[in-house]
Amino acid sequence: MTERSTTHISPAHTPTDAVGALSWHGGRLYRHGVRHRILSGALHYFRVHPELWRDRIRRLADLGLNTVDTYVAWNFHQPRADEPPRFDGWRDIERFIRTVGEEGLDVIVRPGPYICAEWSGGGLPSWLTGRDVALRSSDPAFTSPVGRWFDELVPRLAALQTAEGGPVVAVQVENEFGSFGDDRAYLRWNREALTARGIRELLFTADGPTELMLDGGTLPGTLTAVTLGSKPEAARRLLAERRPEEPFLVAEFWNGWFDHWGKRHHVRGVDSAVGTLRGILADGGSVSVYMAHGGTNFGLWAGANEDGGRLHPVVTSYDSDAPVAEDGSLTAKFFAVREALGAHGPLRSPVRLPTLPPAQVPLVHHADLLPGLRAVPAPTVTAPRPASFEQLGLDAGMVLHTARPRIPAGEHRLTLTDVRDRAVVFADGTLLGVADPDAPELRVQGTGDVVRLEILVENLGRVNYGPGIGGHKGLLGPVLVDRRIVQGWDSSPVALQEWSSGELAEAVSAGPANTRAGFGVARFHVGTPADTFLALPGSSRGLLWVNGFLLGRYRDIGPQVTLYCPAPLLRAGDNTVTVLELERLGGTLELREHPELGPPQEYVEEFD
């Protein structure tokens, strides 16, 4: 059997190929007619700085893989409905795919449109999910915009298929649809949307290995793959009963797991992960290691899960306890997986990239929270009710709502009946407290006069999995003073993810600082840029920019303590870190040599 897992020879892609590279027969997979198995690893271009794409791809090749698979995040390419999708810079997926091919590996593309991936909204843009539409269904209100997106995306992928001389060997139809719904007409539409736009390579679906999920997510004539973290033998038996002619393909093998704020850092032991991997590979099985390299949820792109109506936001790091760590380091799991895959020969990649020396830098408070946010111009919508994020065309960040109710003398209840996700509340500039779905009520002292009521609502992450995808953000229910609804609101978006360096500077310049929250700045000098890990001891929760680039969120509840700052974000000379702190700004920025992702907890995902 031919397996290109131990060499780095470029696949023989020829533009004269009439059909795709991969096919199956008799339970076996073939590549151009030769027995083959896919040894793939997940690597998402949108989670890795473009200047590091080639480095990370080479590390996957060193791992012993012959294929890289990536999702395509629609909302990353088209965050606004009134603007065409972008395919330049960080969004240049064609360059990413070509780079994989140049490094001698095949490519599997998973274009969704829904991708899960612990990514904001599962990749679905909020301008679409904010409409009255049946998501992930044959509703034309959903398939029509997806079709227009595919018109832009799929021809770019089709031009990079092996049939056209490129490295793309397979394309996934939707994503784990069987865990969501059972609209077969939608699945067929999705498959036909790919083929009609030029996809000729192997098509496959991917679902959890249960009867329920496979009933909802598979299609006749389309290869069925599974996603799992354990028990591959049971999955192989189930697929053999349902699809005896098809090869065994695990489209996602969860060798690690992601983290939520306020929980522990999930890890998976090397022996556990490698044992399951060997079970998958037995008898010619194919696999994609999810994640082979996790990367980072830069900016505000981290998603969230919902359980019993409670939101569980995903942390900034997407390290996922992968063989190749968030900063590219080769872990103990890397070498164990490499051995299991049968890879030999010298490594082309260093075990670890250089880092800056450790340092402590003063973090200086420049501006308070509300003055800093107000200093950045933003449109205001005036209406009887607060405007939601979706009504304001805002995907991520915050919204500042202002109303002027008259409140009688004495103490009164102020209730935010449906806030998504967290609100900081002020009366006449004085902090009243924080409201969220678990604690929606505050106390306000009235004098009989009009009060300037300001509510700063933060979106903590859009749900990426399950029936909660597409949930709206903001003050979705009435704000009450006792039993009376507060009416007449000015709502202004705070589009933090879209702020320019100039707008960030305006916020910082809106001093002086008189409270514990707001904007702080730290500056440090770098000789030769290198990776570093940033920590904010004494600070509570907020966001951090490096030279105007929004690195991500931090929170003192952990588990994540340090934020990974890749070398390309730094420059030789002076560098500036800007912090937006929502509760309590500390006085120090630390540059560390090693990451701190929190106390570990062994976790293996299993299906019942």
Side-chain angles (χ1 to χ4, degrees):
M1 178 165 58
T2 299
E3 294 175 13
R4 294 174 298 108
S5 58
T6 58
T7 65
H8 305 295
I9 301 171
S10 178
H13 301 304
T14 60
T16 57
D17 288 344
V19 295
L22 300 180
S23 60
W24 82 83
H25 176 71
R28 299 298 181 186
L29 185 68
Y30 296 85
R31 189 178 191 280
H32 294 309
V34 178
R35 282 273 296 276
H36 178 71
R37 72 171 153 195
I38 297 167
L39 301 177
S40 180
L43 167 63
H44 301 155
Y45 62 95
F46 44 85
R47 285 184 159 122
V48 177
H49 194 286
E51 292 184 28
L52 296 174
W53 284 350
R54 191 177 296 275
D55 173 84
R56 302 307 196 252
I57 293 164
R58 284 184 176 176
R59 290 170 187 271
L60 265 61
D62 280 342
L63 184 58
L65 303 175
N66 58 28
T67 306
V68 170
D69 88 64
T70 186
Y71 279 128
V72 181
W74 182 5
N75 54 4
F76 187 64
H77 291 267
Q78 193 180 18
R80 295 187 176 277
D82 57 355
E83 296 178 3
R86 290 177 52 192
F87 294 94
D88 60 338
W90 207 314
R91 296 161 176 81
D92 191 347
I93 185 172
E94 294 159 284
R95 177 192 155 204
F96 175 80
I97 291 172
R98 285 194 298 268
T99 304
V100 176
E102 290 165 4
E103 293 299 319
L105 304 179
D106 289 339
V107 176
I108 295 173
V109 184
R110 309 170 75 189
Y114 164 80
I115 64 171
C116 186
E118 292 69 57
W119 186 258
S120 175
L124 297 177
S126 59
W127 54 259
L128 175 58
T129 61
R131 300 173 182 173
D132 182 14
V133 55
L135 300 175
R136 302 179 72 189
S137 80
S138 53
D139 180 358
F142 182 70
T143 56
S144 292
V146 174
R148 290 190 291 273
W149 158 237
F150 276 8
D151 286 342
E152 297 285 346
L153 171 68
V154 176
R156 300 171 187 272
L157 305 178
L160 292 166
Q161 298 174 103
T162 62
E164 303 296 334
V168 175
V169 297
V171 177
Q172 183 175 295
V173 178
E174 235 276 350
N175 183 58
E176 295 182 318
F177 184 70
S179 63
F180 179 82
D182 58 7
D183 188 340
R184 288 295 184 88
Y186 166 61
L187 270 187
R188 289 193 297 270
W189 177 91
N190 194 292
R191 180 177 61 186
E192 291 161 8
L194 297 171
T195 57
R197 290 165 177 81
I199 296 299
R200 290 184 282 165
E201 301 293 335
L202 177 72
L203 294 175
F204 67 97
T205 58
D207 291 281
T210 71
E211 297 279 7
L212 180 75
M213 295 180 184
L214 294 174
D215 285 346
T218 60
L219 284 171
T222 300
L223 178 65
T224 296
V226 292
T227 59
L228 55 79
S230 60
K231 304 176 182 177
E233 297 82 4
R236 179 183 271 107
R237 287 194 299 269
L238 179 60
L239 285 184
E241 293 170 3
R242 298 174 64 104
R243 301 284 186 115
E245 286 295 309
E246 296 183 8
F248 184 55
L249 168 60
V250 176
E252 290 185 15
F253 162 49
W254 306 317
N255 76 118
W257 204 245
F258 55 91
D259 295 337
H260 292 124
W261 289 113
K263 308 295 183 181
R264 294 172 75 89
H265 170 48
H266 289 132
V267 298
R268 182 168 184 181
V270 171
D271 291 343
S272 170
V274 170
T276 300
L277 176 61
R278 291 187 186 277
I280 294 169
L281 297 177
D283 193 28
S286 290
V287 67
S288 183
V289 177
Y290 191 99
M291 298 291 295
H293 171 62
T296 308
N297 295 314
F298 292 112
L300 301 177
W301 289 111
N305 293 99
E306 197 171 52
D307 182 18
R310 292 193 174 190
L311 192 77
H312 301 284
V314 174
V315 303
T316 300
S317 172
Y318 202 61
D319 178 85
S320 304
D321 194 32
V324 179
E326 182 180 14
D327 65 336
S329 294
L330 308 184
T331 67
K333 187 178 289 184
F334 173 94
F335 292 99
V337 169
R338 187 172 193 259
E339 181 181 4
L341 295 176
H344 305 286
L347 298 175
R348 296 188 297 168
S349 305
V351 172
R352 192 163 189 253
L353 292 171
T355 59
L356 296 179
Q360 291 192 337
V361 182
L363 179 61
V364 181
H365 197 175
H366 280 256
D368 284 340
L369 178 60
L370 290 184
L373 297 178
R374 291 196 205 102
V376 179
T380 297
V381 171
T382 301
R385 296 185 299 181
S388 69
F389 278 61
E390 291 72 26
Q391 289 168 330
L392 293 169
L394 182 65
D395 177 62
M398 305 176 185
V399 175
L400 180 60
H401 303 281
T402 306
R404 293 166 178 81
R406 185 178 299 277
I407 300 180
E411 187 176 83
H412 300 269
R413 295 190 313 276
L414 181 70
T415 306
L416 282 59
T417 61
D418 190 4
V419 57
R420 304 301 172 100
D421 299 306
R422 182 179 185 270
V424 185
V425 184
F426 301 84
D428 290 331
T430 299
L431 176 66
L432 292 183
V434 174
D436 60 30
D438 290 331
E441 187 176 301
L442 299 170
R443 312 302 289 185
V444 60
Q445 192 73 30
T447 64
D449 292 331
V450 170
V451 172
R452 187 177 81 252
L453 180 64
E454 293 173 291
I455 303 178
L456 180 65
V457 179
E458 181 182 6
N459 167 6
L460 297 179
R462 293 185 180 272
V463 173
N464 56 260
Y465 180 80
I469 60 170
H472 294 192
K473 298 292 184 177
L475 291 178
L476 305 183
V479 176
L480 306 178
V481 175
D482 295 334
R483 70 180 63 189
R484 191 187 75 200
I485 297 175
V486 178
Q487 295 177 305
W489 292 89
D490 295 332
S491 302
S492 300
V494 184
L496 298 167
Q497 191 152 258
E498 302 171 25
W499 275 10
S500 66
S501 295
E503 289 171 320
L504 188 59
E506 289 183 63
V508 169
S509 301
N514 299 308
T515 68
R516 304 183 73 184
F519 290 86
V521 174
R523 294 184 171 87
F524 58 93
H525 186 86
V526 168
T528 301
D531 289 353
T532 189
F533 302 89
L534 304 178
L536 294 164
S539 294
S540 178
R541 63 184 299 158
L543 300 97
L544 184 150
W545 287 260
V546 176
N547 294 326
F549 176 83
L550 181 53
L551 197 63
R553 284 189 170 95
Y554 65 88
R555 293 183 65 179
D556 62 357
I557 64 170
Q560 182 176 1
V561 175
T562 58
L563 296 182
Y564 169 56
C565 177
L569 295 179
L570 300 174
R571 53 192 174 225
D574 293 333
N575 292 263
T576 300
V577 168
T578 305
V579 174
L580 169 54
E581 168 60 48
L582 296 171
E583 291 183 1
R584 180 189 68 249
L585 185 69
T588 303
L589 170 73
E590 291 183 350
L591 281 67
R592 300 188 183 180
E593 290 183 284
H594 298 280
E596 185 178 348
L597 298 179
Q601 179 182 46
E602 179 82 6
Y603 184 85
V604 179
E605 179 70 3
E606 294 185 349
F607 287 104
D608 296 331

